[in-house]
Amino acid sequence: MNFKFELIKEEKYTKARLGRLHTPHGVIETPIFMPVGTRATVKAMTPEEVKDLGAQIILSNTYHLYLRPGHDLVEEAGGLHKFMNWHGPILTDSGGFQVFSLGKLRKIKEEGVEFRSHIDGSKHFISPEKSIEIQNALGADIIMCFDECIPYPASYEYAKQSMERTTRWAKRCKEAHKKPDSQALFGIVQGGMYKDLRKKSAEDLIELDFPGYAIGGLSVGEPLEMMCEMLDFTTPLLPKDKPRYNMGVGTPDYLFESVIRGIDMADCVLPTRVARNGTLLTSQGRLVIRNAKYKRDFSKLDPECDCYACRNYSRAYVRHLFNVDEILGARLATIHNLYFLLKLMENIREAIKEDRLLEYRDEFYRKYGYI
């Protein structure tokens, strides 16, 4: 089998689990955080650097790659792995979230979604079949069903219609999938913030027997407590022997709380995006490096970090780079933020192994400033 999930251990005091995900491009130790390489690149990083930071798998974006350079061109280049020179596993999202976030530029129908490109206004149409065709051409190890991601808050009626359409689209995605032996297609549980809809969505998707399941429509503006409540309810509905993916979460608290509730995979643009704006994730909380108080601060970025940026450069230097718009500033901040989250997940895996995840979380939260 090209794709297999091994459940290695469940933690004693939480629903957290250690697993091993086998893919055609390598084995992934879970739980994991996946850096996002939206347009076939993790911004400012070479693939070798991303690997050296500890990344086991990266995520790329179907919508953006469909628009530029085009999935046909990527296929012609030998697939996404070859095109971007990343030799590890890749996950591509379905494009659904990006299309639905276009707001007035898109129109949802049963057949699919008609939308205008955010680049040049040109008209396009993505159906479940088209999303799978694009992802088959890109050649990622894990691909996602085309779903409708609804905003928060949403009415019960809208959430219900959307969830039912997502299930119908999931069936069409499975039928359209041409490479099930080399690409694992994950179903996405929807249903907004309504437990009965989440239950129905999970049951219907489990019946379709996907090799993995994502929980979509969370981390879209709802309070953390509500996300936790939805995960507490939804995660136990999913098969134990398959990976579970909470889409779009990347702050330390959301990662901890997801893992505690049995999530194996997470992704987010947050670490790279805030890095480019001069915000560092550190063991003592967020640090805005542009601030004047760091002008003569010759200490390392994070006293507890041993990433390349922290080993070699001071806060004063990195602040200087940002203030004179030098590209190296964004690169160093990106290196640090990605390392910080990847190391956090490594520490989380170690804590699960030793049945002390809650203890580690509380210790981390105190230092970070969450409590």
Side-chain angles (χ1 to χ4, degrees):
M1 283 177 72
N2 283 319
F3 189 89
K4 187 177 74 162
F5 179 69
E6 288 179 80
L7 180 57
I8 294 165
K9 173 187 167 71
E10 290 179 283
E11 213 218 11
K12 206 171 175 179
Y13 306 107
T14 70
K15 290 180 182 144
R17 26 197 258 155
L18 284 179
R20 203 170 282 134
L21 192 51
H22 297 259
T23 78
H25 287 87
V27 179
I28 302 157
E29 303 291 332
T30 64
I32 47 150
F33 174 76
M34 301 181 279
V36 176
T38 303
R39 298 180 176 95
T41 172
V42 176
K43 283 186 172 53
M45 299 283 97
T46 66
E48 292 79 10
E49 287 171 328
V50 176
K51 184 177 185 292
D52 289 346
L53 291 173
Q56 303 180 64
I57 174 174
I58 60 169
L59 183 144
S60 276
N61 185 269
T62 295
Y63 165 81
H64 287 286
L65 294 174
Y66 158 71
L67 290 177
R68 292 187 301 194
H71 56 291
D72 294 341
L73 186 143
V74 175
E75 188 173 34
E76 198 183 315
L80 199 48
H81 293 88
K82 199 167 180 187
F83 186 56
M84 68 182 292
N85 194 36
W86 170 264
H87 304 297
I90 300 176
L91 182 149
T92 45
D93 60 14
S94 70
F97 180 78
Q98 282 68 31
V99 168
F100 293 110
S101 64
L102 291 170
K104 289 177 182 173
L105 293 174
R106 51 90 172 140
K107 190 176 177 186
I108 305 166
K109 308 172 181 178
E110 185 62 30
E111 303 81 56
V113 184
E114 193 179 273
F115 65 96
R116 289 192 177 276
S117 161
H118 71 287
I119 300 162
D120 59 10
S122 56
K123 260 191 177 181
H124 298 268
F125 182 78
I126 291 187
S127 61
E129 291 79 8
K130 184 69 177 178
S131 172
I132 297 300
E133 179 198 317
I134 298 165
Q135 293 184 82
N136 281 166
L138 295 174
D141 301 78
I142 300 170
I143 66 176
M144 305 303 295
C145 283
F146 192 61
D147 65 323
E148 182 179 352
C149 184
I150 62 173
Y152 169 81
S155 70
Y156 182 85
E157 201 45 52
Y158 179 30
K160 184 172 186 287
Q161 285 173 5
S162 166
M163 177 274 290
E164 288 168 350
R165 181 186 287 128
T166 287
T167 301
R168 291 193 295 273
W169 283 359
K171 286 177 186 164
R172 287 166 57 187
C173 284
K174 190 168 182 187
E175 284 163 16
H177 186 21
K178 298 279 192 293
K179 300 178 180 178
D181 293 338
S182 57
Q183 294 180 292
L185 174 64
F186 281 23
I188 305 176
V189 177
Q190 289 289 359
M193 303 301 154
Y194 304 100
K195 289 180 181 173
D196 61 327
L197 299 184
R198 289 276 173 187
K199 184 170 188 287
K200 174 76 173 133
S201 177
E203 286 169 353
D204 291 347
L205 291 172
I206 289 164
E207 209 170 292
L208 292 171
D209 192 26
F210 290 104
Y213 295 90
I215 300 176
L218 296 180
S219 193
V220 289
E222 80 281 4
L224 174 61
E225 297 71 29
M226 190 175 275
M227 182 196 81
C228 291
E229 191 186 333
M230 284 299 121
L231 286 177
D232 276 329
F233 177 79
T234 310
T235 312
L237 302 173
L238 301 174
K240 267 192 176 184
D241 60 347
K242 293 183 179 181
R244 305 157 174 173
Y245 167 24
N246 191 12
M247 305 178 81
V249 298
T251 56
D253 54 345
Y254 276 65
L255 290 171
F256 267 110
E257 301 306 330
S258 296
V259 169
I260 282 165
R261 288 159 177 82
I263 291 295
D264 308 300
M265 306 165 69
D267 79 284
C268 196
V269 296
L270 176 120
T272 49
R273 181 174 287 168
V274 301
R276 295 193 300 280
N277 295 323
T279 298
L280 303 172
L281 309 174
T282 79
S283 54
Q284 276 85 41
R286 287 196 185 197
L287 186 154
V288 181
I289 200 68
R290 291 178 188 271
N291 288 353
K293 64 180 175 180
Y294 302 118
K295 186 174 183 177
R296 287 184 168 79
D297 187 343
F298 303 111
S299 63
K300 61 198 284 193
L301 301 175
D302 181 350
E304 294 185 21
C305 181
D306 62 352
C307 76
Y308 169 79
C310 287
R311 288 197 317 271
N312 293 285
Y313 303 99
S314 68
R315 293 174 177 184
Y317 179 66
V318 176
R319 177 182 182 273
H320 156 71
L321 293 175
F322 272 98
N323 284 349
V324 293
D325 289 328
E326 282 291 345
I327 293 167
L328 183 59
R331 273 183 44 73
L332 293 175
T334 301
I335 285 168
H336 169 76
N337 282 356
L338 285 176
Y339 181 87
F340 181 82
L341 286 189
L342 292 165
K343 188 72 180 169
L344 173 66
M345 296 308 282
E346 189 185 311
N347 292 340
I348 282 174
R349 291 194 295 272
E350 201 56 40
I352 295 170
K353 204 179 287 181
E354 296 167 5
D355 292 314
R356 54 173 185 86
L357 183 56
L358 293 177
E359 188 186 318
Y360 175 52
R361 178 197 65 178
D362 293 348
E363 177 195 320
F364 181 94
Y365 279 16
R366 272 192 295 275
K367 279 175 153 172
Y368 200 83
Y370 284 139
I371 53 176

